[in-house]
Amino acid sequence: MATGNSRKRKKKRVNKTKLVLCLMVEMIVILALAVMIGWKYGVEEWLTEITRPVVKELDLSGINSSHAVLMQAQGGKVIGEINGEERMYPASLTKIMTAIVAIEELDDLEQGITLDEEIFPELYAGDATQAGFQAGERVRAIDLLYGVILPSGAECCIGLANEIAGSEEAFVEMMNKKAQKLGMDGTHFCDTTGLHDPEHYSTAMDMAVLLKYAIRNDTFREIIESARHSTGITNVHPDGITYYSTMFKNLNDPGVTGGKILGGKTGFTNEAGLCLASFAEIESREYILVTAGAPGTTGEPLHVYDAVTVYNRLGSAAQALGE
């Protein structure tokens, strides 16, 4: 009896081994077919892309901004910085966080939101940039989101905050929690707009981390890549409003060496100077550049000039590696 059981166990092991070998052969055949098919439909190009030399470090000296971080959008590797970890005032770069939190919290981007009268007096007093909406105007959420990013509309920020959280203060708590979750340890928000407050601060590194996160969201990315946007009809503007990106208005040509600037958000206060958080595609790779502290007294968009300078320098370096 023992011998019979032993034979049965041995036979089961042989059958199991044969089964495993058959499955392995099938997997190898399937993988080989997938590679053959994939090679025909783009794997060759993909392999070429991932093996292309990468710029590992770039000198950012000589720009107008006192703070800067250049980061790979894919993995987050920093390849250049100037005072990247030092505290600075983010001004309207704050609105990147306002927009991405609002997008993630809203269930329906087509819903109407009424802008309360109480929003406007403080904005007028603080000379805050506005998109052009008025008290009592009912606006689609998506139009307010475009208003946050493109013309940097402060009334859009507070309108969204009130709708989502009940007050700007409650919404700011959500922004700070999001910052903590993203590891933005050098950041603290006091408002949704970036109006100056000594306790409202960030770093160029943190803002780069934030933009890296935000552009993974399709809605945010579509907004920030737009040069202009026309809203739907409202109870105040029967023809809607058309507004324009504050970055693209100052960028005659988005083309740079080896690629182009895809989108960005500007900011300015007297304390923060000119700020810009942008991203670009250079030699088929995406990069994020955050700059802050450029002089705002010259009348020239020095923050935009800095972005063009850095991206051109990056493109030249990338092309040199590929030669």
Side-chain angles (χ1 to χ4, degrees):
M1 179 67 69
T3 303
N5 289 337
S6 176
R7 288 174 181 171
K8 287 180 180 179
R9 285 195 296 270
K10 185 176 181 181
K11 185 176 181 180
K12 284 182 179 179
R13 285 197 297 270
V14 171
N15 290 338
K16 187 176 181 180
T17 302
K18 287 181 178 179
L19 179 61
V20 170
L21 288 173
C22 288
L23 288 173
M24 289 178 64
V25 170
E26 287 180 7
M27 289 176 64
I28 292 170
V29 170
I30 292 170
L31 181 60
L33 288 172
V35 170
M36 290 171 63
I37 294 170
W39 195 273
K40 181 179 179 181
Y41 292 102
V43 171
E44 183 176 11
E45 290 80 3
W46 176 73
L47 287 174
T48 301
E49 175 61 30
I50 65 172
T51 55
R52 180 181 297 173
V54 181
V55 177
K56 296 182 179 179
E57 188 174 358
L58 192 75
D59 179 17
L60 301 188
S61 63
I63 63 175
N64 300 285
S65 302
S66 57
H67 299 72
V69 166
L70 178 64
M71 173 187 290
Q72 293 176 357
Q74 183 66 32
K77 178 178 172 56
V78 174
I79 60 175
E81 67 169 296
I82 300 172
N83 301 322
E85 299 280 6
E86 289 189 10
R87 183 178 294 186
M88 56 81 164
Y89 297 120
S92 286
L93 301 190
T94 299
K95 292 166 184 166
I96 296 172
M97 180 63 90
T98 303
I100 191 61
V101 171
I103 289 168
E104 292 179 346
E105 292 295 325
L106 286 165
D107 294 325
D108 180 10
L109 298 182
E110 295 296 320
Q111 74 179 78
I113 296 174
T114 301
L115 301 180
D116 297 331
E117 278 189 36
E118 63 186 26
I119 289 174
F120 294 88
E122 186 175 347
L123 297 181
Y124 291 138
D127 197 27
T129 304
Q130 298 187 42
F133 297 112
Q134 297 180 24
E137 190 162 2
R138 189 162 180 80
V139 187
R140 293 186 309 167
I142 187 64
D143 292 332
L144 291 177
L145 287 165
Y146 272 96
V148 169
I149 297 298
L150 270 58
S152 207
E155 82 275 34
C156 302
C157 297
I158 300 177
L160 287 164
N162 288 345
E163 177 70 20
I164 293 167
S167 69
E168 184 180 19
E169 292 76 13
F171 190 86
V172 169
E173 288 184 16
M174 297 168 67
M175 293 168 62
N176 282 318
K177 287 180 181 178
K178 190 69 173 183
Q180 291 175 4
K181 187 175 181 180
L182 293 176
M184 297 168 61
D185 297 330
T187 297
H188 180 261
F189 297 117
C190 294
D191 55 58
T192 61
T193 60
L195 288 174
H196 182 67
D197 184 309
E199 294 304 312
H200 186 104
Y201 54 80
S202 187
T203 68
M205 191 73 71
D206 279 2
M207 283 291 133
V209 168
L210 173 59
L211 184 57
K212 175 178 175 289
Y213 172 79
I215 60 175
R216 294 176 183 171
N217 181 284
D218 291 340
T219 300
F220 180 91
R221 190 177 181 109
E222 182 177 347
I223 292 170
I224 201 170
E225 288 186 348
S226 301
R228 62 186 290 276
H229 176 72
S230 295
T231 74
I233 296 170
T234 75
N235 56 320
V236 175
H237 292 94
D239 297 321
I241 300 177
T242 297
Y243 34 63
Y244 300 84
S245 162
T246 54
M247 185 196 75
F248 283 117
K249 279 197 305 185
N250 290 301
L251 188 64
N252 294 328
D253 181 4
V256 291
T257 303
K260 66 177 181 178
I261 299 174
L262 299 175
K265 177 74 191 78
T266 62
F268 172 76
T269 63
N270 290 328
E271 295 81 3
L274 292 167
C275 309
L276 176 61
S278 64
F279 61 109
E281 183 179 48
I282 307 292
E283 294 297 320
S284 301
R285 285 192 173 91
E286 288 191 357
Y287 297 87
I288 289 166
L289 174 66
V290 173
T291 60
T297 57
T298 66
E300 296 292 323
L302 299 181
H303 49 343
V304 177
Y305 294 167
D306 282 351
V308 173
T309 296
V310 171
Y311 287 132
N312 277 330
R313 194 179 295 177
L314 176 61
S316 296
Q319 290 179 349
L321 284 176
E323 291 177 352

